[in-house]
Structures are given as C-alpha cells and as structure tokens.
Amino acid sequence: MTLAQKIDLSTTTDITPEGSDYETVRRVIEMLTLDYQAQPSLETLAARLGLSPSQLQKTFTRWAGLSPKGFLQAVTLDHAKRLLGREGMPLLETSIELGLSGPGRLHDLFVTHEAMSPGEWKAKGAGLTIRYGFHPSPFGQALVMATERGLAGLAFADPGGEAACFDDMAKRWPQAHYVADQAATAPYASRIFDPQKWSGEQPLRVVLIGTDFQVRVWESLLEIPLGKAVTYSDIAARIGQPTASRAVGAAVGRNPISFVVPCHRALGKSGALTGYHWGLTRKRAMLGWEAGKICG
C-alpha cells in the first residue's frame, strides 16, 4: 500500500474562480499542440469540445485574460524566444536587471525563503511534520505541503492522479510525518493563485529542502521575474558552474515547489519548452496564464 492510499486525498471547495476552467484549457492546449500547423479556428476548437465559440472565448478570457488566439501566441516558440531576449548580456542578468526594477516584477509573487541544513536533508524528513491538502487551482488540483517554517511543496494532478501525485512528493522526504490539514494549507493556496494577494510587504515564506546544489539552482529560479525566461545554461553560469547544464536541468526537474519556484520559466536554448515534471501541457498553461496577467 502506498502512502497516498493510507491518507485523505479529498479536496476543498473551489477557492479560485477559474479553477474549474482548467480542464477545458488543458484540452484546448493539447489540441493546439497536436494540430499546431493547422492552426484550428475558435469554431473548430469549440465544436470539438461541445461548446459554442462564445463559451470557449469567455472561458479563456476568464481563466487567463486572453482569447484562445492570444493564448496560442503566448506559448509559441517565437514568444519563448522573446522571453529569453537577445540583449547580448547573460540572460539571467538581463532578467534580473530589467525585471526587478521594471513593471514585470509588479505582477510577480513575492517570496522569502530559507534552506534546510544538509543534515536535515540527509535525514530524509525525519522529525519533520508536513501538513498537506489538495486544493483547486488554475492548473488543476494543487497539492500544497507546508511545515512550520513555510511552504515546502507544491505539485499538480489531473483528475484521478491525486494519489500518484502525493506519492511522488512523499518519496522525496520518506521519513517525514504527514498530516492531512487543509485548513493549514488553504491560506497558502489562496495566496499563491490569487495575484491580488501578491504583496512585497507580506512575502510568501517557503523552505527549500534539497541538496546544496539543488538549493542553489532553485534560488536562481526564484530570481526569474514574471514575463521573463532563462535557459539551463544561463542558470549554470549564474551559480558558477557553467559546464553543469545537465545537472541544472535535473535539479530544475526535482524542484518541489512548482510555480512558486518558477521552474516553468526555464527553457531550452532554442526557446523550446523541453520538459516539465507535471507535464508540458501544464507548463504551457502556466506561461500563458502569466502572459495574461501581464497583459491585464
């Protein structure tokens, strides 16, 4: 029996107005990805989903602040290349210099973080109590995990995948004590997915649980502002290990606090989305959703 089979995986009531829209968005993204060259029209997409064009238009506008066409433009390779920029200076430096002082950062989720000690990491969670709960989010069911020191985990699941999602996260800290406590995790979910609650005056507290190398990579990810992107090689250079792009990619893939630690903003050199632990469809959704927040 898995850990997930032993514990409560029920979800709370919907805390985000657009939470129920993600299934429609997910299906549209998958259709656009599979049929990208054909550029299916709004009418074609709506017919495949059994919706009217106006219903589909309203769903996307409500969810991301963008039309389906605008969303498609926000997740294209050309847009990814624009996110990466071509200013001639190291891209992460560009992101930090322009983003922290520019309008992009005004839309961002402010985070303050600390890292657990190497000894605590090696203990695999022993002596650590992690409270968890599933909550609806703009990107499907979100598994929120928190310790007394702050947010420690954020993962995502499609319907029916909650148990596997929990197992995936729990295996990272197998000796920890897990407590189902949606009342404790609901405030985190509410703040993370509601841009109206993103405030530099009250930053979200997170705790990074990983190896020293992983934590350095995750800290670099935290420096990427909304509306910007970097490559794995940029991150490797930033942490002083320019030949470690592959190891950086592995560390990015092990990021336990998805979206908050924005590993979805790490792209391949060409601007390709490459991989994402919780699925490329969700990565596209996150980038498009963020584009809508900036445009809005």
Side-chain angles (χ1 to χ4, degrees):
M1 180 178 291
T2 65
L3 279 169
Q5 289 172 320
K6 298 177 183 178
I7 56 181
D8 178 21
L9 295 176
S10 59
T11 61
T12 59
T13 55
D14 195 344
I15 57 171
T16 57
E18 63 270 55
S20 60
D21 292 337
Y22 177 69
E23 179 62 19
T24 298
V25 172
R26 181 186 68 80
R27 293 174 63 192
V28 170
I29 293 172
E30 289 177 347
M31 285 190 283
L32 291 173
T33 301
L34 293 173
D35 203 13
Y36 177 76
Q37 291 185 334
Q39 295 278 312
S41 66
L42 175 65
E43 289 74 18
T44 299
L45 293 170
R48 291 178 185 176
L49 293 171
L51 300 172
S52 70
S54 62
Q55 285 177 310
L56 184 56
Q57 180 89 5
K58 288 178 181 178
T59 295
F60 262 85
T61 302
R62 178 172 61 240
W63 181 82
L66 296 171
S67 67
K69 181 179 179 180
F71 181 89
L72 176 61
Q73 291 172 342
V75 296
T76 60
L77 183 60
D78 285 344
H79 180 70
K81 289 179 178 178
R82 287 195 296 274
L83 288 179
L84 288 171
R86 292 293 181 267
E87 289 82 1
M89 55 192 299
L91 297 179
L92 189 56
E93 296 288 349
T94 302
S95 295
I96 294 170
E97 183 169 311
L98 297 181
L100 290 180
S101 60
R105 184 54 94 176
L106 297 177
H107 298 270
D108 220 341
L109 174 61
F110 289 86
V111 170
T112 181
H113 73 279
E114 64 173 295
M116 288 198 170
S117 69
E120 289 174 308
W121 159 246
K122 290 178 181 178
K124 299 182 178 181
L128 190 65
T129 296
I130 298 179
R131 302 184 181 277
Y132 73 90
F134 277 92
H135 303 271
S137 84
F139 314 112
Q141 290 297 317
L143 171 60
V144 179
M145 293 180 152
T147 72
E148 61 181 7
R149 293 158 68 174
L151 180 72
L154 180 60
F156 297 93
D158 292 323
E162 292 85 356
C165 177
F166 180 86
D167 273 340
D168 184 312
M169 295 296 290
K171 287 175 182 175
R172 302 168 190 238
W173 314 297
Q175 301 304 316
H177 175 56
Y178 291 92
V179 179
D181 191 346
Q182 292 176 326
T185 55
Y188 285 100
S190 179
R191 282 195 64 188
I192 292 166
F193 301 116
D194 183 358
Q196 298 300 318
K197 297 180 180 178
W198 295 356
S199 169
E201 296 179 357
Q202 294 183 313
L204 179 70
R205 289 192 306 123
V206 304
V207 56
L208 303 176
I209 309 174
T211 66
D212 178 65
F213 180 82
Q214 288 174 333
V215 168
R216 287 163 61 202
V217 170
W218 301 338
E219 287 174 336
S220 288
L221 292 172
L222 282 170
E223 295 176 324
I224 309 171
L226 188 75
K228 299 291 181 181
V230 300
T231 66
Y232 300 115
S233 57
D234 298 324
I235 297 172
R238 177 70 178 179
I239 65 174
Q241 298 195 29
T243 62
S245 296
R246 184 168 296 183
V248 164
V252 169
R254 295 296 294 170
N255 168 30
I257 314 179
S258 296
F259 186 71
V260 171
V261 178
C263 52
H264 59 285
R265 298 177 195 161
L267 308 177
K269 275 190 175 182
S270 67
L273 296 188
T274 61
Y276 188 64
H277 191 78
W278 306 110
L280 279 177
T281 294
R282 189 166 276 109
K283 184 172 185 174
R284 288 187 176 93
M286 289 178 178
L287 291 171
W289 188 84
E290 289 183 339
K293 300 309 170 189
I294 293 174
C295 294

